[in-house]
Amino acid sequence: MAAAEATKKAIDGAALVRRIRLGSGLVLAFFVITHFLNHSLGLISLEAMEQGRLYFMAFWRAKTAMYVLYGALLTHLALGLWSLYKRRPILRVPPWELAQMALGLSIPPILVGHVFDTHFGFTLAGVDDTYAYVLLLLWVERPYGAVLQIALLLTAWLHACIGLHYWLRIRPWYPRAVPALYTIALLLPVLALLGFVQGGLQVIALAETPMWLESYKQTIDYPDAAGWARIRNAAETGQQLFLGGIALALLGRGARRLAGLRRKGASVRYPDGGVCHIAPGTTILEASRIAGRPHASVCGGRGRCSTCRVRIDAGEECLPPPAPEEARVLRRIAAPPKVRLACQAKPAGDVQVTPLLPAAASARDALRAGRESGGREQQVAILFADLRGYTKLSEDRLPFDTVFLLNRYFAETGQAITGAGGRIDKFIGDGVMALFGAEDGADPALACRQALAAARAIGEGLDRLNHALSHELKEPLRLAMGLHVGPAIVGVMGYGPAMALTAIGDAVNTASRLESIAKERDAQLAVSQAVVALAGAKLDAHPLEDVAIRGKREPMPVRLVARAADLPG
């Protein structure tokens, strides 16, 4: 019990760390964006850069903004070292995580020199760190300086973009915004680089005039040898502290590993019989990575996307209750009991788990409800609709005409289904399968009424289509539909991009066979009496037959509707 409580506190702390990392990262990203905008003014002139710098400095060197900026920088840096210490296994994380970590750790050695040349040069040596001063340093005084600055610019921007992308990618609006955001992400650093180069060329040209160079150095209080020594010593101290931090993080990893070997750990078992033995404090997601098992994790194990979720098949008592952050995500996806986020669950004993999403799950999969991905059995109304004789109809038509006609038919059918409250499950050739009441907790009676309304709307849509295309068709389009209600297994099934919510089971097969019966009886709709009874519909005007259904022992009472448009509203 004490171990579980300690684990729960650790998870709460991890959630707080993620929030702080995100907040500090957003502050730094905003600083970089404003800095890039200032750089881009170099495309106009050096004077424009200097003018923009006045506004830039007025904001960022105000006391509050400066404290927030340096606080965010030091916090983000410390959390990066903490991540280097804590993350396990470091070489088996997804490539984008490894790239972001490598980029983040490569920024400080270059950044320290730049910060001490500018702000701390102003503080320690009294230099007026104008744009011309910085460009003079980087393009004239230090031939390698411009190359390092360009490397810093690109590294910081890539690090920020990776972080922002994997933070935003699970937002529903993000896919629509990607083209605009990608344009900005590409255009902003390009303009900044061009402005930086153009400004550097202007300073190089000015520096060729000795009188300007001497006069300008006096104007900005250019550091003397003693001033440069102070700046250089401070910069070297900063770099040594950072490298020492990396060394401490790596030594800490080694010490933690040795300590973990002495303590009794846990094991994580998988459906295929695989087992991973883990040290205390290891999450289920980390266990999968240690074992080299592919495991979905769109957000990188930050407890935001839910794609790493697993079902706990055994050993649930060995896991602490979900922390508030995990509980919030589980509520958002309507997760059933025994479902946990693998990136947050830290077993204190042996557990057996089943990952609920494929390893290749995308950000879109993160938005799907947990009950859907896990599967459930419930009453669903299933409608099949298929064009009759379309193969013969399309034989004399050009491919373009065939596609055009099918899309007109699919548009009428799709609008009828969604307008009635149904869900298009799939298009199969010239047919369609639709589900009604597939949502968790849906009312079967309402689903049946919606399905009958959709069948009527499809019939009306077919009449409109035949009228609109009467001059093109040798004979009217004909339709056959089958409608049934019954228990079905509903869940997200498929593979990769083809994964979608669907239903399987005897009720689905029966609805498909009713569609075939409608064709045999020359009716537009064959609807089971079970649907009619649940919907409370009055279909006495349409013949009722006991129809033999393949695979069923007893005949099924079915209403045969010659024209679906004649169904009562």
Side-chain angles (χ1 to χ4, degrees):
M1 191 70 182
E5 187 64 28
T7 303
K8 184 177 184 300
K9 289 180 179 178
I11 292 174
D12 290 342
L16 178 62
V17 166
R18 285 194 297 274
R19 289 198 200 99
I20 294 173
R21 179 186 287 114
L22 175 61
S24 61
L26 289 175
V27 170
L28 296 175
F30 181 60
F31 174 81
V32 170
I33 289 170
T34 56
H35 208 18
F36 279 15
L37 290 172
N38 202 167
H39 277 8
S40 65
L41 293 176
L43 288 170
I44 302 173
S45 67
L46 181 60
E47 290 73 19
M49 294 179 85
E50 298 289 10
Q51 191 64 35
R53 172 184 167 276
L54 296 178
Y55 294 100
F56 179 81
M57 291 298 181
F59 180 81
W60 286 111
R61 286 200 179 165
K63 274 191 176 181
T64 302
M66 186 171 63
Y67 291 152
V68 169
L69 175 62
Y70 279 104
L73 178 61
L74 293 174
T75 300
H76 210 67
L77 180 59
L79 291 177
L81 294 174
W82 177 254
S83 180
L84 180 63
Y85 163 71
K86 286 288 289 182
R87 194 174 296 257
R88 49 183 153 189
I90 199 167
L91 294 179
R92 291 184 181 173
V93 298
W96 70 266
E97 284 188 66
L98 200 58
Q100 189 186 28
M101 183 182 293
L103 289 168
L105 293 176
S106 65
I107 291 171
I110 310 174
L111 181 63
V112 166
H114 181 63
V115 170
F116 277 89
D117 281 343
T118 53
H119 191 194
F120 283 88
F122 169 77
T123 304
L124 296 174
V127 65
D128 184 6
D129 54 332
T130 62
Y131 252 108
Y133 157 75
V134 175
L135 294 172
L136 183 64
L137 275 181
L138 298 176
W139 289 93
V140 178
E141 302 288 342
R142 303 172 187 164
Y144 60 87
V147 175
L148 286 179
Q149 187 67 13
I150 291 171
L152 175 62
L153 184 153
L154 294 176
T155 303
W157 188 243
L158 283 173
H159 177 76
C161 285
I162 291 173
L164 288 171
H165 171 68
Y166 283 94
W167 171 50
L168 295 174
R169 67 185 300 202
I170 61 173
R171 302 294 192 274
W173 54 265
Y174 184 64
R176 298 189 300 274
V178 162
L181 293 176
Y182 182 79
T183 302
I184 294 170
L186 189 62
L187 198 58
L188 192 56
V190 168
L191 292 176
L193 277 173
L194 292 175
F196 174 68
V197 171
Q198 185 64 25
L201 293 175
Q202 292 180 60
V203 168
I204 289 173
L206 290 170
E208 290 176 353
T209 305
M211 289 183 61
W212 177 89
L213 188 59
E214 289 302 320
S215 172
Y216 190 73
K217 285 185 175 182
Q218 291 178 8
T219 302
I220 62 172
D221 292 328
Y222 196 79
D224 55 15
W228 278 123
R230 288 195 298 274
I231 294 172
R232 191 161 46 251
N233 289 337
E236 288 174 356
T237 301
Q239 290 170 339
Q240 289 166 4
L241 286 173
F242 174 70
L243 294 175
I246 292 179
L248 283 175
L250 294 175
L251 286 172
R253 287 179 65 89
R256 187 190 62 199
R257 182 174 177 81
L258 289 174
L261 293 175
R262 298 176 183 175
R263 289 185 290 168
K264 184 180 184 300
S267 66
V268 179
R269 294 183 178 274
Y270 297 89
D272 61 1
V275 182
C276 180
H277 299 283
I278 55 175
T282 304
T283 67
I284 294 173
L285 177 61
E286 288 171 340
S288 296
R289 290 174 174 173
I290 290 169
R293 303 179 69 93
H295 198 133
S297 177
V298 167
C299 71
R302 291 169 173 81
R304 294 198 296 260
C305 69
S306 81
T307 53
C308 68
R309 55 186 179 260
V310 295
R311 185 179 67 240
I312 309 300
D313 299 320
E316 187 178 13
E317 68 281 358
C318 298
L319 291 169
E325 285 282 315
E326 182 185 2
R328 179 179 59 79
V329 174
L330 293 174
R331 283 195 303 272
R332 188 188 75 209
I333 63 171
K338 296 190 176 183
V339 169
R340 297 292 299 271
L341 300 186
C343 66
Q344 303 300 304
K346 297 182 177 181
D350 298 343
V351 295
Q352 182 169 337
V353 303
T354 299
L356 295 178
L357 291 180
S362 66
R364 185 178 65 175
D365 299 317
L367 303 175
R368 293 194 177 108
R371 291 294 300 274
E372 292 180 355
S373 65
R376 63 187 183 278
E377 186 177 48
Q378 69 180 63
Q379 292 276 333
V380 180
I382 307 103
L383 174 69
F384 278 87
D386 190 38
L387 282 177
R388 297 177 57 187
Y390 189 77
T391 302
K392 180 181 178 182
L393 184 67
S394 62
E395 284 178 351
D396 300 327
R397 304 181 73 86
L398 294 172
F400 173 84
D401 294 333
T402 301
V403 171
F404 170 77
L405 185 56
L406 269 180
N407 282 333
R408 288 286 301 271
Y409 161 69
F410 286 148
E412 292 286 352
T413 305
Q415 289 168 12
I417 292 167
T418 56
R423 178 196 293 260
I424 297 172
D425 183 272
K426 60 177 69 72
F427 289 104
I428 313 163
D430 55 8
V432 62
M433 171 183 166
L435 303 177
F436 298 84
E439 299 78 16
D440 189 22
D443 179 12
L446 175 61
C448 291
R449 290 193 292 272
Q450 291 174 331
L452 285 170
R456 183 181 67 252
I458 290 172
E460 293 169 348
L462 187 70
D463 290 344
R464 288 193 299 270
L465 190 58
N466 279 326
H467 178 73
L469 301 177
S470 58
H471 61 287
E472 296 183 28
L473 299 173
K474 295 180 181 179
E475 58 183 59
L477 296 174
R478 295 190 301 159
L479 180 72
M481 292 182 284
L483 176 56
H484 183 54
V485 65
I489 297 172
V490 179
V492 176
M493 305 177 206
Y495 178 76
M499 288 193 68
L501 181 72
T502 188
I504 58 173
D506 180 67
V508 178
N509 298 333
T510 300
S512 176
R513 286 163 188 159
L514 287 177
E515 178 210 284
S516 300
I517 288 169
K519 291 179 182 178
E520 294 169 5
R521 300 293 200 277
D522 198 24
Q524 276 197 348
L525 173 66
V527 52
S528 68
Q529 189 62 21
V531 172
V532 177
L534 265 177
K538 301 295 183 182
L539 299 186
D540 297 339
H542 303 282
L544 176 65
E545 291 188 18
D546 287 333
V547 177
I549 303 291
R550 182 162 51 89
K552 290 189 175 294
R553 295 179 181 177
E554 300 294 331
M556 174 180 286
V558 174
R559 291 281 180 183
L560 297 172
V561 181
R563 288 187 73 253
D566 294 337
L567 287 168

